[in-house]
Amino acid sequence: MLTPLPDAAARLASLERDAAHQAELSAGDGRTWAGTRDGVRPVVIVGAGQAGLVLARGLRRRGIDDVVVIDAARADAAGPWTTYARMHTLRTPKDIAWPTWGTPAVSPRAWFEAVYGDAAWEAIEYFPTVAWQGFLHWYRDASAVTTVASTRVRSLVVGGADDPLTMHLDGPDGEWMLPARHVVLATGIEGAGGKHLPPLLDGLPADRVHHTHDDIDFSALAGLRIGILGAGTGAFDNAATALEHGAASVDVHMRRPSMPQVSPYRWMEFAGLIENYGSFTDAQKWAFNVHLSAVDQPATQNALWRAHAFDTFRFLTSSPWESVSWTGRDIAVATPHGIHHYDVVLAATGIVAELERRPELAGVAADAVRWSDRLSPAQIAQNPGLAAFPYLDDDFGLVSRSAPRRSALSRIHMFNHGARISQGMLSHQIPGLVGGATKLAAALSRRLFERDSDRLLAEYLAYDVPVGVHIGRRAQDSSPPRDPRVASIG
């Protein structure tokens, strides 16, 4: 168990001063050139997790002001870390690159060492989840990011190609509207659709089936038999959580004959791919993602150990669920190796891309190009689920079917799992933020500059502030003349 240092608060205060000083050293004149115009914000970011916060700070460093970040969760609960992310540590190594925007003092390592000390940093391999949530809270406050919590998007209204995007929101004070030039959806793993529940689970009593992304009352599972469909890391973390809350037994079922032993994600974590994935052709992007889905990745070692620590845990391979039925007392799951009976089942079955399911995208989904529109029937047949993902431009923007060259949809940027095929699996995740956030911030800066180019040119042509040049010899001061023999000595 990590314990903060006795003087952690003072160390964090010192770190914030270092961060402010580093920002001054690297920020130039800090001139703001893009802000609210006619009541329209330059950028509104939906999602106050790591991707949204990092992007907001990066935009400010580029002189783009008045950026607002909204989130449906409470201010202290943004992101998945207090809900369905039930792991004890992150899945990425602790020393993964982080976009500091020229301010190393706001890096995860700097925060961790300030709170827990250098020795604690050397002792860990992965960042503890609780500590990561603490870092993000501090990062938000230290970055002075304007965050509007407990606020949901009811709809996103798109007008003409040059019209503002209008967000209709529900917040603590009721309904309100927020117009923006660009909207960034930093809405995580479910950002292009939602949870996938296999049809074979239809018909079960609602209180007997959950998705692993649900808000589950694990204390209510005490004494019950639990069956889990799917064997990713989340399956094992949910299994362990249920057993830690007193579940009688938990079985995790995997359709594969064995756990994968190679993690392609580890190969991906290098700057060349992260920064240049978008340079792949469409055919290369498709092949990349079809292969990734086929080989998958193993569950993390810590998650496996955590579940296997219980004698009442079983991991069943070559065990797809062929049918599921409600007996009136429990759930009967038929597999190639027999029938299993459970009181509750959990679906660790991931997400599905379905733009219509998102309230912020429902109004534009019909006009948004999917990857299926760019693929042959044979390619679509390789993986229909991947083919349903949105086809994005190089700025993470949606592409319009009706007006592909000029549409307001290009100003809706999918900085979430929806960018998986178009911009790379890691673009919005921790390992890829250093590339994805940098690329998107640069794109937004360019687009805003193009929008304001006439105004900026007019401002330049009208600029007439004197710099105070004096003609003639420099006025003499009262300082004694320097000896030329020591002029070169420091």
Side-chain angles (χ1 to χ4, degrees), residues 38-53:
D38 301 323
V40 179
R41 299 275 182 167
V43 180
V44 171
I45 300 172
V46 182
Q50 59 212 21
L53 295 177

Side-chain angles (χ1 to χ4, degrees), residues 37 39 76 79 88 104 116 169-170 272 297 299 318 324 333 365 369 390 409 462 475:
R37 289 180 57 195
D76 62 345
H88 287 166
Y116 299 107
L169 307 171
D170 275 333
Q297 65 173 332
S318 298
V324 177
V333 175
V369 175
L409 265 67

Side-chain angles (χ1 to χ4, degrees), residues 45 156 172 197 246 269 297 484:
I45 300 172
L156 175 56
L197 276 173
E269 293 167 356
Q297 65 173 332

Side-chain angles (χ1 to χ4, degrees), residues 370-456:
R370 310 306 205 274
W371 268 86
S372 58
D373 298 311
R374 296 290 194 266
L375 300 170
S376 69
Q379 288 174 309
I380 294 173
Q382 289 180 301
N383 195 317
L386 287 181
F389 272 73
Y391 183 92
L392 307 180
D393 63 24
D394 203 42
D395 298 343
F396 292 82
L398 293 171
V399 177
S400 167
R401 299 176 191 272
S402 59
R405 297 186 180 278
R406 183 170 169 77
S407 170
L409 265 67
S410 71
R411 292 186 278 114
I412 302 174
H413 307 268
M414 301 283 286
F415 198 43
N416 56 33
H417 193 65
R420 166 180 176 167
I421 307 177
S422 299
Q423 292 300 328
M425 189 69 178
L426 300 178
S427 59
H428 69 289
Q429 298 178 0
I430 296 171
L433 279 177
V434 72
T438 302
K439 181 177 183 178
L440 181 52
L444 291 167
S445 177
R446 185 189 71 252
R447 297 280 295 274
L448 289 168
F449 189 90
E450 290 170 353
R451 166 70 175 176
D452 289 352
S453 59
D454 287 341
R455 176 184 64 82
L456 291 167

Side-chain angles (χ1 to χ4, degrees), residues 19 49 75 84 93 119 188 221 245 258 296 299 315 356 360 405 408 431 453 456 487:
Y84 66 82
L221 304 184
H245 284 78
S258 61
D296 205 356
F315 175 37
E356 293 83 358
E360 65 271 21
R405 297 186 180 278
S453 59
L456 291 167

Side-chain angles (χ1 to χ4, degrees), residues 57 108 201 212 233 252 365 388:
R57 184 180 179 95
L201 300 180
T212 51
T233 297
V252 166

Side-chain angles (χ1 to χ4, degrees), residues 167-413:
M167 305 184 69
H168 294 260
L169 307 171
D170 275 333
D173 298 323
E175 299 179 11
W176 56 295
M177 292 191 303
L178 182 61
R181 185 66 191 161
H182 293 265
V183 172
V184 176
L185 302 179
T187 42
I189 190 78
E190 296 182 23
K195 295 170 283 195
H196 172 56
L197 276 173
L200 61 79
L201 300 180
D202 293 345
L204 295 179
D207 62 339
R208 298 298 184 111
V209 58
H210 305 284
H211 193 281
T212 51
H213 284 195
D214 289 343
D215 183 8
I216 301 172
D217 179 7
F218 280 93
S219 63
L221 304 184
L224 302 183
R225 301 163 297 168
I226 313 298
I228 299 181
L229 174 60
T233 297
F236 293 93
D237 280 321
N238 277 267
T241 303
L243 290 164
E244 289 161 0
H245 284 78
S249 65
V250 178
D251 293 346
V252 166
H253 293 255
M254 173 185 261
R255 70 176 184 273
R256 299 173 187 266
S258 61
M259 179 66 68
Q261 293 298 308
V262 175
S263 176
Y265 288 84
R266 297 292 82 84
W267 179 89
M268 294 182 207
E269 293 167 356
F270 67 100
L273 179 77
I274 290 170
E275 295 175 2
N276 301 299
Y277 174 93
S279 299
F280 274 148
T281 65
D282 282 359
Q284 290 172 322
K285 291 176 181 178
W286 182 248
F288 186 101
N289 283 275
V290 168
H291 176 74
L292 178 61
S293 292
V295 301
D296 205 356
Q297 65 173 332
T300 61
Q301 185 63 70
N302 286 340
L304 289 164
W305 280 334
R306 183 182 171 197
H308 279 283
F310 293 85
D311 293 335
T312 50
F313 170 77
R314 290 194 302 173
F315 175 37
L316 307 175
T317 58
S318 298
S319 188
W321 290 11
E322 298 173 330
S323 67
V324 177
S325 60
W326 173 245
T327 69
R329 299 185 309 275
D330 59 16
I331 299 167
V333 175
T335 74
H337 307 293
I339 296 177
H340 304 266
H341 290 268
Y342 300 113
D343 300 302
V344 172
V345 295
L346 306 183
T349 46
I351 59 91
V352 62
E354 191 176 337
L355 301 185
E356 293 83 358
R357 291 177 61 173
R358 302 290 306 186
E360 65 271 21
L361 293 171
V364 303
D367 192 34
V369 175
R370 310 306 205 274
W371 268 86
S372 58
D373 298 311
R374 296 290 194 266
L375 300 170
S376 69
Q379 288 174 309
I380 294 173
Q382 289 180 301
N383 195 317
L386 287 181
F389 272 73
Y391 183 92
L392 307 180
D393 63 24
D394 203 42
D395 298 343
F396 292 82
L398 293 171
V399 177
S400 167
R401 299 176 191 272
S402 59
R405 297 186 180 278
R406 183 170 169 77
S407 170
L409 265 67
S410 71
R411 292 186 278 114
I412 302 174
H413 307 268

